[in-house]
Amino acid sequence: MKPLALTSGEPAGIGPDICLQLAADAQQFPTVVLGDPTLFAERADTLNLSIKIRTWVPGEPAALGGHELTLLPITAPEVVVPGVLEPGNARYVLALLDSALNGIQRGEFSGMVTAPVQKSVINDAGIAFSGHTEYLQAHAGVDDVVMLLASDKLMVALVTTHLPLSAVSAAITPEKLQRICRIMHHDLQYSFGIGQPRILVCGLNPHAGENGHLGREEIEVITPTLDALRAEGLNLIGPLPADTLFTTRVLTQGDAVLAMYHDQGLPVLKHQGFGNAVNITLGLPFVRTSVDHGTALDLSGTGQADTGSLRTALDYAQKMVEARSAQSA
């Protein structure tokens, strides 16, 4: 397996910390970390970690773990102080992403894992940036991507993501729901090796609309769309009331859940697995996973950052790459 590219994210945040903390563990991942050599050496000293930092040469093996960290050097233009945002380093953060994407395109990396970035400081630098997902989607040139969060017990994808509740209903169109379901079905097969994915679909309204008494979106949009997709062979169960879908009895009947909006599905998953969950982007031509947390500026350089989500992101990325390889064989 070619190595994964791990972008270390906002330099003032915990991204470099959790990379170094994982490097101190016994478990090794075939991973190249992208970041500034001086920053990593200084942060290792701050964290009192003895890590061998080795410069990566394309085509050679890479390792993250066993007190070793393979680094693709990219220089931050400004001095990095833990916990202190510096707009002058915004383009460095984007350069990490660009280098990972270019390496994937050249066939050097099997996929990418992203540590958290601070969107506000990138925008403060005068660069329009709405997030990792949108940046990668634009680079890949795909029309739609799907946000999927996963833990060891639950996978939840979203039809709509960062929208106010007042805009959600209008955003759930038959066309959008069809595209999301098809991407989810395809990637559960291709990237997770699930031959016939069973997708549990939430209704939008309480009690899934209760036959139109609590809203008509289920009757007019969601159910007809699911019926049309079932005719194509997709195994879609629902729309189901969200308050009972997330029970053990119902969850055992599916492989993943499709929620209609952000706070319908993610609070359940994060209650169940926060700190050990992973953010996965479906619909890209390459594997991309990410941590489920932010930059945690207050923890940077303290040694108190939790590596659980990054470990899970690396685990998922490796398994997804292996599943894709098996499908292509």
Side-chain angles (χ1 to χ4, degrees):
M1 172 177 165
K2 293 177 182 176
L4 295 164
L6 170 53
T7 58
S8 54
E10 167 55 49
I14 62 169
D17 300 49
I18 56 179
C19 293
L20 287 161
Q21 287 170 232
L22 274 190
D25 286 352
Q27 181 181 5
Q28 282 197 340
F29 294 95
T31 300
V32 176
V33 178
L34 282 64
D36 183 282
T38 301
L39 161 63
F40 271 81
E42 291 176 348
R43 194 69 58 88
D45 288 342
T46 300
L47 299 173
N48 197 29
L49 294 174
S50 178
I51 304 295
K52 180 182 178 181
I53 300 175
R54 179 170 60 86
T55 299
W56 183 60
V57 176
E60 291 190 357
L64 176 66
H67 293 275
E68 183 177 349
L69 186 151
T70 307
L71 189 74
L72 175 58
I74 300 172
T75 302
E78 304 293 337
V79 173
V80 177
V81 179
V84 180
L85 295 172
E86 169 53 67
N89 284 328
R91 294 197 180 278
Y92 158 79
V93 174
L94 298 184
L96 301 178
L97 297 176
D98 292 341
S99 293
L101 289 165
N102 291 336
I104 289 172
Q105 191 172 29
R106 290 192 298 266
E108 296 170 349
F109 300 130
S110 60
M112 67 187 295
V113 178
T114 56
V117 298
Q118 188 85 15
K119 289 182 280 190
S120 61
V121 75
I122 298 175
N123 284 284
D124 287 344
I127 304 168
F129 182 81
S130 54
H132 268 129
T133 302
E134 295 81 1
Y135 192 85
L136 300 179
Q137 178 183 357
H139 184 279
V142 295
D143 293 330
D144 292 286
V145 293
V146 178
M147 179 187 290
L148 174 79
L149 268 79
S151 67
D152 60 344
K153 297 179 181 178
L154 183 63
M155 293 197 291
V156 179
L158 302 176
V159 177
T160 64
T161 52
H162 300 123
L163 288 178
L165 280 176
S166 60
V168 168
S169 177
I172 301 172
T173 64
E175 295 77 16
K176 182 176 182 65
L177 187 54
Q178 286 175 2
R179 294 194 300 267
I180 297 295
C181 288
R182 287 176 182 138
I183 290 171
M184 190 175 178
H185 174 84
H186 173 271
D187 276 23
L188 287 174
Q189 289 182 319
Y190 184 48
S191 298
F192 291 87
I194 302 173
Q196 295 296 326
R198 301 166 300 163
I199 301 173
L200 302 168
V201 183
C202 294
L204 173 65
N205 296 296
H207 302 177
E210 202 164 286
N211 296 320
H213 294 288
L214 294 176
R216 296 192 58 81
E217 287 88 351
E218 286 78 10
I219 292 174
E220 296 175 357
V221 176
I222 299 173
T223 298
T225 302
L226 299 186
D227 286 343
L229 291 167
R230 290 186 189 105
E232 297 179 7
L234 277 66
N235 189 350
L236 305 171
I237 305 166
L240 301 173
D243 62 342
T244 53
L245 185 157
F246 288 102
T247 59
T248 301
R249 180 185 66 82
V250 179
L251 288 174
T252 56
Q253 300 172 30
D255 298 298
V257 174
L258 179 60
M260 291 293 131
Y261 58 93
H262 188 280
D263 282 13
Q264 183 182 58
L266 297 196
V268 181
L269 183 135
K270 291 193 176 185
H271 173 73
Q272 183 268 328
F274 189 71
N276 290 288
V278 56
N279 184 347
I280 301 168
T281 307
L282 306 181
L284 293 171
F286 51 85
V287 168
R288 182 261 173 160
T289 68
S290 185
V291 295
D292 69 346
H293 57 75
T295 54
L297 297 169
D298 59 321
L299 297 179
S300 180
T302 68
Q304 300 302 307
D306 191 330
T307 62
S309 184
L310 180 57
R311 184 186 305 278
T312 305
L314 288 164
D315 276 331
Y316 261 97
Q318 189 166 338
K319 290 174 183 175
M320 290 171 68
V321 169
E322 291 169 352
R324 286 187 173 210
S325 297
Q327 295 287 330
S328 301

